[in-house]
């Protein structure tokens, strides 16, 4: 039996209900976060909260929690109810329930849903994955972690059906990010390239952690968009996300990366990120 949190109550997942007039259903009018936890301890909580608050402000949705510690208490109780120590949680906040109308309703209370899910095995993909390329069909505010993910879903599905693990998206021949991850390459000078944080990408929490760790370890990071020619000439490539961490890429379309071997910088960042997350367990 699994439990979720919904609007102030803990419910069995199969008994949880929300109105058909929830604006998340009708307009994708909401935001979300996915957070990891290890040994019962939330990871990167403050970073996720900062991004969540930014998304809420950008969409003019009221903050349902005045104090982040209140949310922490709710989450930790949910972990206890589900008797889980390792995994992820999904937190969704929509504008609320109101009569269907494009205009924002006044004095509306946000709907909040939180549930947990298990951590799958990463052993196979940590040996390297393949990535497809496609045109970026998303809107111009990708920096908002909106629940409107249909363009990502369609591209991810198309890539999966063609045998690819992930799909990187392009605007004007420049890689923005993946459908569910941020994109990185390492050039022949061992410089790490990734798209800068702006309205064309979602600034991933793990992306930011990896950049911080790279800089601390005296690796050069250049936040500049790269193109297909850069991919063909790169030494390494990898992707990042909360649910996956750092995953090496061994093939992008028809381009083989580093003879399908995991590069030294990618290996280093995989290890440094894991150490960084484990350290949070004991803080």
């Amino acid at each position: 039996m699994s439990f979720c949190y919904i609007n102030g109550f803990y419910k069995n997942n199969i008994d949880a209900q929300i109105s058909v007039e929830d604006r998340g259903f009708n307009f994708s009018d909401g935001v979300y976060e996915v957070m990891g936890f290890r040994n019962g301890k939330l990871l990167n909580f403050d970073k996720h909260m900062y991004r969540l608050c930014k998304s809420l402000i950008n969409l003019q949705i009221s903050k349902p929690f005045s104090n982040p510690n209140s949310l922490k208490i709710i989450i930790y109780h949910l972990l206890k109810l589900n008797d889980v120590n390792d995994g992820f949680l999904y937190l969704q906040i929509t504008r609320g329930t109101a009569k269907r109308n494009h205009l924002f309703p006044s004095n509306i209370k946000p709907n909040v849903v939180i549930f947990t899910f298990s951590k799958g095995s990463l052993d196979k993909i940590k040996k390297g994955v393949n990535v497809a390329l496609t045109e970026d069909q998303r809107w111009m505010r990708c920096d908002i972690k909106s629940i409107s993910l249909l363009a990502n879903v369609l591209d991810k599905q198309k890539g999966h059906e063609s045998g690819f693990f992930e799909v990187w998206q392009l605007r004007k021949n420049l890689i923005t990010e993946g459908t569910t991850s941020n994109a990185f390459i390492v050039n022949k000078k061992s410089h790490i390239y990734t798209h800068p944080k702006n309205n064309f990408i979602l600034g991933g929490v793990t992306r930011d952690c990896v950049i911080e760790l790279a800089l601390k370890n005296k690796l050069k990071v250049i936040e500049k968009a790269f193109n297909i020619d850069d991919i063909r000439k790169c030494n390494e490539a990898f992707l990042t996300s909360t649910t996956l961490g750092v995953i090496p890429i061994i093939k992008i379309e028809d381009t083989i990366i580093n003879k399908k071997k995991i590069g030294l910088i990618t290996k280093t960042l995989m290890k440094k990120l894991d150490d960084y997350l484990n350290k949070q367990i004991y803080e």
Side-chain angles (χ1 to χ4, degrees):
M1 182 182 297
S2 295
F3 294 91
C4 67
Y5 172 90
I6 180 166
N7 291 336
F9 299 93
Y10 296 94
K11 297 276 189 178
N12 186 317
N13 283 356
I14 61 174
D15 295 326
Q17 296 180 343
I18 200 160
S19 171
V20 294
E21 291 187 312
D22 169 57
R23 286 180 63 94
F25 288 145
N26 293 326
F27 298 106
S28 293
D29 190 1
V31 300
Y32 76 101
E33 282 288 331
V34 175
M35 299 181 221
F37 53 92
R38 290 186 184 181
N39 288 356
K41 181 71 180 289
L42 288 170
L43 304 174
N44 289 325
F45 180 78
D46 291 340
K47 293 179 186 292
H48 283 288
M49 284 301 96
Y50 177 76
R51 185 173 63 180
L52 178 65
C53 288
K54 281 186 65 178
S55 294
L56 290 170
I57 290 168
N58 277 311
L59 293 188
Q60 301 177 53
I61 295 175
S62 300
K63 294 180 185 179
F65 305 103
S66 57
N67 188 337
N69 287 328
S70 300
L71 179 57
K72 261 189 177 180
I73 292 169
I74 289 168
I75 291 172
Y76 278 123
H77 187 59
L78 181 63
L79 300 186
K80 187 175 180 180
L81 282 175
N82 283 321
D83 192 23
V84 288
N85 289 317
D86 299 280
F88 302 94
L89 66 89
Y90 178 88
L91 163 64
Q92 177 172 296
I93 302 173
T94 68
R95 194 176 305 277
T97 301
K99 184 177 179 180
R100 193 180 189 281
N101 188 319
H102 281 65
L103 298 176
F104 293 174
S106 59
N107 301 319
I108 187 172
K109 184 178 180 181
N111 285 324
V112 181
V113 174
I114 309 172
F115 61 83
T116 63
F117 58 98
S118 61
K119 181 179 181 180
S121 174
L122 301 180
D123 292 343
K124 186 176 180 180
I125 64 173
K126 280 189 174 181
K127 297 177 182 178
V129 299
N130 59 348
V131 170
L133 301 175
T134 191
E135 287 298 315
D136 199 332
Q137 303 179 70
R138 300 171 300 164
W139 69 325
M140 303 292 283
R141 291 304 310 273
C142 300
D143 55 311
I144 300 172
K145 200 166 176 66
S146 162
I147 60 175
S148 180
L149 293 171
L150 189 56
N152 299 58
V153 167
L154 292 174
D155 285 341
K156 184 83 170 184
Q157 181 65 28
K158 185 177 179 181
H160 172 74
E161 290 172 356
S162 299
F164 291 95
F165 176 79
E166 173 62 303
V167 178
W168 281 1
Q169 300 158 316
L170 301 98
R171 288 185 192 266
K172 297 181 179 179
N173 205 36
L174 296 174
I175 309 298
T176 50
E177 60 186 340
T179 61
T180 58
S181 63
N182 287 115
F184 293 78
I185 61 169
V186 182
N187 71 5
K188 295 188 182 303
K189 294 181 179 180
S190 296
H191 297 166
I192 302 168
Y193 278 79
T194 191
H195 197 287
K197 285 175 75 170
N198 58 23
N199 60 301
F200 293 130
I201 74 163
L202 177 68
V205 167
T206 302
R207 169 197 180 275
D208 293 349
C209 290
V210 166
I211 290 173
E212 290 173 14
L213 291 168
L215 294 174
K216 283 182 181 178
N217 286 274
K218 299 181 180 179
L219 296 170
K220 187 166 184 177
V221 179
I222 301 171
E223 295 188 64
K224 180 182 178 182
F226 55 89
N227 59 30
I228 296 173
D229 289 336
D230 296 320
I231 288 173
R232 294 190 181 111
K233 294 182 287 187
C234 76
N235 277 2
E236 303 178 38
F238 60 90
L239 58 83
T240 64
S241 78
T242 291
T243 55
L244 300 176
V246 177
I247 297 297
I249 295 169
I250 57 176
K251 186 179 180 183
I252 301 175
E253 290 285 348
D254 295 326
T255 300
I256 303 296
I257 308 297
N258 196 33
K259 298 179 181 180
K260 292 192 174 182
K261 296 178 182 178
I262 305 173
L264 179 60
I265 289 177
T266 303
K267 283 182 180 178
T268 298
L269 293 173
M270 291 171 76
K271 177 67 165 56
K272 294 295 181 182
L273 178 65
D274 202 47
D275 291 345
Y276 170 77
L277 295 176
N278 281 330
K279 186 178 178 182
Q280 293 182 40
I281 296 171
Y282 305 105
E283 288 179 348

